[in-house]
Amino acid sequence: MSNLVSPLQPAVLITIIGETVLKDRIVKLLKNHSVSGYTISQVQGEGGHGRRLSDLPGYNTNIEIKTIVSLEVSDAILSALKEEQGKHALIAFRHNVEAFY
């Protein structure tokens, strides 16, 4: 075993899946919490709000946003997202990870 210090540190991976119309609001929320980076992908699937086919651009489509943050920042982001849940198709979850960021 090496005595080298690991370059990894504890972090939280947040995954947000929601309607495409939420994109700008979610990005603003992340930036308001000083998130340094995120990844956005177009996704499709089926859930409690029905099937999301991505058949028409911007209509009935979903995005997935992933970011790595501290536990405290993840608490604040998830709390803010919860307020949007009743108005839009939206799910968010987090995983503890080790990362360099």
Side-chain angles (χ1 to χ4, degrees), residues 49-67:
H49 287 270
R51 198 165 184 205
R52 301 289 175 171
L53 299 174
S54 299
D55 50 358
L56 298 172
Y59 176 77
N60 202 24
T61 61
N62 278 350
I63 54 170
E64 179 181 73
I65 301 175
K66 292 185 176 190
T67 189

Side-chain angles (χ1 to χ4, degrees), residues 6-15 66-71 74 93-101:
S6 173
L8 301 176
Q9 55 184 311
V12 176
L13 168 64
I14 298 178
T15 302
K66 292 185 176 190
T67 189
I68 296 175
V69 297
S70 69
L71 179 60
S74 76
F93 52 94
R94 64 183 172 190
H95 295 280
N96 292 326
V97 297
E98 292 181 325
F100 59 91
Y101 62 106

Side-chain angles (χ1 to χ4, degrees), residues 73-88:
V73 171
S74 76
D75 285 341
I77 290 170
L78 292 173
S79 178
L81 287 172
K82 187 70 175 162
E83 295 175 16
E84 293 289 337
Q85 189 180 30
K87 305 172 216 165
H88 298 280

